[in-house]
Amino acid sequence: MLPEGFYTVIDQKNSEQHLELNIALNPQHDIFKGHFPNNPVTPGVCMLQIFKETVERHLQKELMISECSNVKFMALINPEIHPNLKLDLHIIPNENETYKVKASAQFEETTALKLSFVLKKV
């Protein structure tokens, strides 16, 4: 779980297998003081955790990431310059309570990150 106050959900649109969120990163959060001083960059692992937590809330299940593929970091997310992100997640249920997720994050017209990952019940 990410530390309190790292990001805020501004708005969210849900359907059964598709989620769209607008979030605001907190550029004053302590994570950015260490990653990196005077040049904050949102850690990729934090973005992955945001995606995971979003799916968990939507499905109301505790899940864990069992695999990631096609992970593409295409732009740095500096919370001082681009604190507002649009997240897009497509959830595909599989057998044995696993879920394949295709996710992306973008600011303005720039896609910063896209990936696929599988979540399974803890």
Side-chain angles (χ1 to χ4, degrees):
M1 176 170 271
L2 285 168
E4 181 89 21
F6 182 69
Y7 72 100
T8 304
V9 176
I10 298 169
D11 64 27
Q12 183 170 339
K13 296 177 190 172
N14 295 351
S15 67
E16 189 174 329
Q17 295 181 352
H18 184 227
L19 308 173
E20 285 183 26
L21 294 88
N22 289 302
I23 67 168
L25 298 172
N26 175 4
Q28 305 307 314
H29 198 278
D30 285 344
I31 284 175
F32 296 115
K33 292 176 184 166
H35 201 271
F36 296 96
N38 302 317
N39 188 23
V41 175
T42 306
V45 69
C46 291
M47 290 303 303
L48 188 56
Q49 185 68 20
I50 291 170
F51 290 137
K52 175 187 165 285
E53 289 177 8
T54 298
V55 175
E56 285 179 319
R57 279 192 306 271
H58 178 68
L59 297 175
Q60 298 180 342
K61 295 181 181 190
E62 188 176 351
L63 302 166
M64 63 181 272
I65 297 169
S66 64
E67 63 183 82
C68 287
S69 60
N70 300 317
V71 180
K72 297 179 182 171
F73 293 96
M74 296 147 56
L76 295 176
I77 302 171
N78 181 326
E80 292 178 347
I81 299 170
H82 300 291
N84 297 320
L85 301 175
K86 178 184 175 189
L87 308 182
D88 190 63
L89 296 94
H90 295 272
I91 305 165
I92 304 157
N94 293 325
E95 57 191 46
N96 301 324
E97 291 196 74
T98 63
Y99 303 88
K100 182 170 183 171
V101 180
K102 292 185 178 185
S104 66
Q106 67 182 145
F107 54 84
E108 296 173 358
E109 300 301 315
T110 301
T111 300
L113 166 64
K114 63 183 182 177
L115 70 148
S116 296
F117 59 98
V118 176
L119 295 168
K120 67 179 185 180
K121 194 169 180 181
V122 174

